[in-house]
Amino acid sequence: MKTNHIALIVAGGSGSRMGTNVAKQFLPFSKNTVLMHTIERFFEYNNSIKIYLVLPKSQISFWKELCQKYIFSIPLTLVEGGASRFQSVRNGIDAIKEKTGFVAIHDGVRPLISIKTIKDSFDKAQELGNAVVAVKPKDSLRVFSENNQTKSVDRNDFFIIQTPQTFELLALKNAYTTLELPFFTDDASVFDYHNQMIHLIEGKYDNIKITTPEDLILAKALLKMQKNN
Amino acid sequence: MKTNHIALIVAGGSGSRMGTNVAKQFLPFSKNTVLMHTIERFFEYNNSIKIYLVLPKSQISFWKELCQKYIFSIPLTLVEGGASRFQSVRNGIDAIKEKTGFVAIHDGVRPLISIKTIKDSFDKAQELGNAVVAVKPKDSLRVFSENNQTKSVDRNDFFIIQTPQTFELLALKNAYTTLELPFFTDDASVFDYHNQMIHLIEGKYDNIKITTPEDLILAKALLKMQKNN
């Protein structure tokens, strides 16, 4: 039986940190928008991938307008988001119709994800149950110690976590049966809570998350560089 | 008496990670090179600042050629670097002729440092003894735990450390009398070893360190953005 590859793309931004009225995932990027570019990368990896797109309810009609405007026709299932990223992911998981497979959860505002990293993520998850994309910190790090002081830590012990974070479907469903807790900053942290082993794979520094206007300019420069390579 | 402002610019790169024969600090940037642009920012902050530039011995004649080529004439004292960043900084400190003042130690390959951050750094160091530029992580972080596993940590407890790192001259001299230790990744970590309190100030995400070819492209895009603001 063929293994289902599923992409759960989560886009919850409102635009407030971008200083625009348009949410960052809808800003123009390359031939269409940030979010469409993200989705295209997964479709390019595997054109029979099942795509679930989680969007705030208030943005769904605007998304449909954009799809008409840009003649964007990659097949996907729209899912209404929740009040937090955790709840949006859970809504996405609840909407998945497949019974088995592997789910790559990915930020809608990381449009520069490489096809190779998507492939590595699914391959590693099929081998070991999950795969979380990470890079090593380039700068020194400090951590709060006692009395509001900070101390240096060895950056070689740390990883900067990106997406996709790819999980076997049933294990993912099981992990997300828990109540939301404040220290769930990503999907891997939900698995930690269940004492499940997380497998890191090496990502690329250009897989940036677009959260500020300067990130968008960086992403455009990085895209140009990807195309020249 | 006027307080001496001193900049100790450290540039030790060899070019190996850039995939070029030319060290990253000498690559073309804006009107001249990465390193010259860095130095110009400090001179723009205060044109009576005392600048010490630490370069590998093997690069000094090439630097002088570049100064002629670009008609670069900001006054500075050249210092020969050592075998490690720690030793280069120590050589720089040993070369400082001023008896008192504040020293901003800065990576030669962070050309986008803002004038405001340089000012904040000296102001805070004059008030509290030192000032180290930091930003908050944008992504989730994980750390090695036992058995080669990793676990998520609360990124709100962490800081990504940049330069300048600015210190009162005598305290800096004193800290650098120690032997080099493997966990000295920056100047603040040398102060930690002496149990001295480090004061963080908020920097900017665009103060990137140029270590790879993609960083240079990013830096050019960010420079354009700085000029448009």
Side-chain angles (χ1 to χ4, degrees), chain A residues 8-11 38 85 105-111 162-164 209:
Chain A
L8 180 53
I9 313 283
V10 185
T38 304
R85 187 181 189 284
I105 303 176
H106 187 69
D107 295 325
V109 291
R110 290 194 195 261
Q162 304 176 343
T163 68
K209 187 172 179 175

Side-chain angles (χ1 to χ4, degrees), chain B residues 81-140:
Chain B
S84 65
R85 187 182 188 285
F86 178 90
Q87 289 172 33
S88 291
V89 171
R90 183 145 66 189
N91 289 0
I93 293 168
D94 288 346
I96 292 174
K97 289 184 288 278
E98 289 69 30
K99 298 292 178 212
T100 60
F102 290 84
V103 186
I105 303 176
H106 187 70
D107 296 324
V109 290
R110 291 194 194 263
L112 296 172
I113 181 66
S114 77
I115 312 296
K116 181 183 179 304
T117 303
I118 297 172
K119 181 179 188 311
D120 289 350
S121 183
F122 276 111
D123 288 354
K124 184 82 162 193
Q126 282 183 238
E127 185 191 337
L128 297 173
N130 62 63
V132 167
V133 176
V135 293
K136 296 296 296 175
K138 286 181 175 182
D139 293 305
S140 295

Side-chain angles (χ1 to χ4, degrees), chain B residues 41-57:
Chain B
R41 288 279 165 107
F42 281 82
F43 190 72
E44 197 178 328
Y45 158 66
N46 173 356
N47 65 14
S48 64
I49 198 168
K50 314 294 179 189
I51 300 171
Y52 293 83
L53 171 60
V54 186
L55 278 178
K57 186 177 181 181

Side-chain angles (χ1 to χ4, degrees), chain A residues 115-133:
Chain A
I115 312 296
K116 180 183 180 303
T117 303
I118 297 172
K119 181 179 187 310
D120 289 350
S121 183
F122 276 111
D123 288 353
K124 185 83 163 191
Q126 283 184 233
E127 184 191 339
L128 296 173
N130 62 62
V132 167
V133 177

Side-chain angles (χ1 to χ4, degrees), chain A residues 57-69:
Chain A
K57 186 178 180 181
S58 60
Q59 295 178 359
I60 287 181
S61 65
F62 185 54
W63 165 256
K64 288 178 178 169
E65 280 175 39
L66 288 173
C67 287
Q68 291 199 307
K69 176 175 173 185

Side-chain angles (χ1 to χ4, degrees), chain A residues 110 139-140 149 161 197, chain B residues 110 139-140 149 159 161 197:
Chain A
R110 290 194 195 261
D139 293 306
S140 295
Q149 293 294 297
I161 304 302
M197 198 162 154
Chain B
R110 291 194 194 263
D139 293 305
S140 295
Q149 292 294 296
F159 296 90
I161 303 303
M197 198 163 154

Side-chain angles (χ1 to χ4, degrees), chain B residues 9 23 108 164 169 194-195 198 208:
Chain B
I9 313 283
L169 174 60
H194 294 275
N195 291 314
I198 287 293
I208 63 169

Side-chain angles (χ1 to χ4, degrees), chain A residues 39-54:
Chain A
I39 294 168
E40 284 169 348
R41 288 279 165 109
F42 281 83
F43 190 73
E44 196 177 329
Y45 158 65
N46 173 355
N47 66 13
S48 63
I49 197 168
K50 315 293 179 191
I51 300 171
Y52 292 84
L53 171 60
V54 187

